[in-house]
Structure formats: C-alpha cells, structure tokens
Amino acid sequence: KKDLVLYRIETAKSDCRAAQVLLDVKEYRGANNRAYYAIYHAVSAIHALDGRSYKRHKDALANFNKDYIKTEIFPRTIGRRIAAAEVIRHASDYDDFYLATKEEAEEQIQTAKELVKLVEEYVRQRWNQDA
C-alpha cells in the first residue's frame, strides 16, 4: 500500500514538471492536461492510503470531495479549484475551439503543486500516527 501511495505522489510530481515544461513552450492546452493529471494522481494517492481505488476519474474526485473536502481535512478552496481544473482539462482536451491561456495554465499548475504538497503532508501525518 505504501509503495502505491508513493508511486502516485511521484507520478503527480512528474505530471507537474511536465505541465511546467509545456507552459514554458506555450502549449497551454497540454499544460492544463498534465496539471489535471497531477491533481488526479495526488487524489488517487489519498485513496490508495485508505485502500480504495476508482475506475472513473469522476468517482475518484467525487469521493475525495465527500471524504476529504466536505470534512475539511483538505481546504474547501482546493476542492473548488480541483473541480475547476477538471472542467478546464475537459475543455482543453475535447473542445475543438477552446483557447487555453497562459494565465489559466499557470493557475492549474499552481493548484496541482499546492495539492501535491498538501497530500504529501497529509500522508506523512497519517503514517506518523500509524507508526
């Protein structure tokens, strides 16, 4: 279980780095995609911590919201930003005429980085409690 949690956190960090590279070369749609996947993998790390797994992104995000945002384990503001990131990623990937902006991509990357940091802190706290 611990290996899976760490793997998902590392995957989230890798996606953050990829998002930043894409932002730097002005590929904002791709940056939005990678930032969203960083968020998704960070959320999935939390679910792995509890021995849960979801096949659909929608379910993973909804259950994270229910179990961790509404209970205020994670701040409500990050929950709203995760929801916005999902909408933006979907538009970036599937809407033919969607114009992603630099500011939007920067915001998505910031959300991803903040969430990864919060997830790492939470995981560390949980493991210290369990020790």
Side-chain angles (χ1 to χ4, degrees):
K1 189 159 75 170
K2 188 173 185 176
D3 288 342
L4 181 58
V5 171
L6 293 173
Y7 174 78
R8 288 183 177 170
I9 289 171
E10 285 308 312
T11 301
K13 288 178 175 180
S14 174
D15 287 337
C16 280
R17 289 190 298 274
Q20 187 63 54
V21 168
L22 288 163
L23 174 72
D24 293 345
V25 296
K26 298 178 175 46
E27 291 291 340
Y28 306 130
R29 290 168 69 116
N32 287 341
N33 175 284
R34 288 296 90 200
Y36 166 79
Y37 275 95
I39 291 165
Y40 172 73
H41 287 114
V43 165
S44 294
I46 293 295
H47 289 313
L49 190 61
D50 293 328
R52 289 193 230 135
S53 180
Y54 300 94
K55 289 183 188 216
R56 299 182 325 162
H57 288 216
K58 187 170 154 178
D59 296 335
L61 296 176
N63 282 293
F64 180 77
N65 194 42
K66 178 175 68 86
D67 297 337
Y68 294 95
I69 300 295
K70 287 187 176 162
T71 59
E72 298 187 12
I73 292 170
F74 288 88
R76 288 184 185 268
T77 54
I78 200 85
R80 285 190 288 277
R81 290 167 62 197
I82 290 168
E86 182 183 22
V87 170
I88 289 167
R89 193 281 305 189
H90 196 272
S92 287
D93 285 356
Y94 300 112
D95 293 357
D96 290 329
F97 299 107
Y98 185 77
L99 295 175
T101 66
K102 178 182 181 183
E103 294 74 26
E104 176 185 80
E106 287 171 337
E107 207 172 289
Q108 301 315 301
I109 293 168
Q110 188 58 39
T111 297
K113 287 179 178 177
E114 284 178 34
L115 180 63
V116 170
K117 186 177 176 220
L118 288 169
V119 165
E120 284 185 302
E121 290 168 4
Y122 178 75
V123 166
R124 228 183 338 271
Q125 287 173 353
R126 283 273 304 267
W127 282 340
N128 287 338
Q129 287 173 355
D130 294 345

